[in-house]
Amino acid sequence: MALDTNKFLNGLIDNGYSHLCVVPCSFAKNVINAAINNDNIEYVPCASEAVACSVAAGLKMSGAKPIVIVQSSGVTNMGSCMTSLLNPYDVTFPIITSWRTYKEGNSEIQHKHLATGLPTLIASYGYKHTVVDQDDIARAIDQINSCDTSKTVAVLKKDTFTKVELEDKHKLDLSSYTARSEFLIKMNEMYKDTNTLFIGTTGNTAREMYSFMPDTDNFYMAGNMGGALSLGLGAAMAGKTVVVCGGDAEFVMHMGGMTTAGRYENINLTYLLFDNESNKSTGGQNTYQSHVDYINIAKSSGLDVFDKKITDLSEFTKTFDDMQKSSGLKFLCVKCGVDDETPRPPLNVVKVSEF
Ligand SMILES: Cc1ncc(C[n+]2csc(CCOP(=O)(O)OP(=O)(O)O)c2C)c(N)n1
């Protein structure tokens, strides 16, 4: 069975919970949708799990009642906050994490380690864990309440919640933008059989590259969300010509990578940001980042930017080609729509240890 998502959320609100600090995971999609729909709890979309944890700590220390919801791979990002702020200062609030499983041949490689190692990781931070009851709402809410007052992390298994759709007013309409696939197909045509290395970030970016760029030299980074630019920087410093294809959620997760990259000029690295305003692969949640000026962030971090967001395919073709004619550290932002779901690249294609 699954918990009735709206009843569960309303139960939490009745218990005084005020904020939900989130980095999305598809396992938590329904409870995230319910929170976005519900005016009685504030949905706080966070750039990373480290951010979510620290924001929640600030809320709790100021008398509010926050809850954090993240994916198991993001528990690693919370290590510093949990071990060096929450734990020593005795600040507690519910941290709910999904527990991604792993089945050889049928799962993303990024989840393999924590599919068995999550309890050990949580224990190493000085916390216990409790698996959220999937049948009994009252018991599930009791478990969350116990996490509010003790060092315990609540763990979600797949299908814990019933389906909740976003209300129409919260849905993104990207239908006026060119789908990302069209840009990828164009790059495939332009760069097939060249030695340019294309790095696709975790999320749908890499998946779509697998479907729409079959002839280029691609690395699909399933995992290490936020690290694609830095991975590309290392490869470029070692002499490769690199194009990192990123998403808007990936862009902000470890944005400091941009300030590190910005120090280097004599490399051949382009960061191509596909801004679809959403976390496509975890359920299409809005990233709520319309206030972020990606181009100016890149520019002030030291990247050589194309000063305008591109929406048009022919403008993209010309601009991207011109940019690739010179070396350096470059940034281009494409505003795009979304495609239908594309398959994940198979494990043997993903698992590459050398470029
Ligand atoms: C550390 C970490 N936190 C959360 C996730 C779950 N996750 C996978 S992809 C993704 C969103 C990616 O969105 P974006 O970068 O905008 O790319 P898109 O899927 O829209 O192309 C999230 C939150 C993760 N893989 N790793």
Side-chain angles (χ1 to χ4, degrees), residues 89-106:
Y89 288 84
D90 286 324
V91 179
T92 54
F93 46 80
I95 296 173
I96 304 178
T97 176
S98 62
W99 193 353
R100 305 297 301 236
T101 50
Y102 182 84
K103 212 164 134 214
E104 205 69 42
N106 192 26

Side-chain angles (χ1 to χ4, degrees), residues 62-88:
S62 309
K65 266 189 102 171
I67 296 175
V68 165
I69 297 194
V70 299
Q71 160 170 124
S72 42
S73 57
V75 175
T76 55
N77 280 341
M78 299 197 296
S80 174
C81 187
M82 290 172 76
T83 58
S84 65
L85 175 69
L86 306 188
N87 208 334

Side-chain angles (χ1 to χ4, degrees), residues 23-26 47-49 70-77 100 108 110-111 180 201-208 222-226 246-251 253-254 273-282 284-285 287 289 338:
V23 178
C25 172
S26 55
S48 76
E49 292 78 5
V70 299
Q71 160 170 124
S72 42
S73 57
V75 175
T76 55
N77 280 341
R100 305 297 301 236
E108 288 180 293
Q110 66 187 95
H111 297 306
R180 177 164 50 198
T201 62
T202 194
N204 257 64
T205 322
R207 287 190 206 176
E208 289 170 25
N224 188 32
M225 185 172 167
D248 45 306
E250 144 87 25
F251 181 97
M253 185 162 272
H254 295 307
L273 169 64
F274 287 106
D275 176 16
N276 58 12
E277 297 180 30
S278 52
N279 293 271
K280 170 85 197 310
S281 62
T282 52
Q285 301 88 358
T287 43
Q289 288 173 189
V338 289

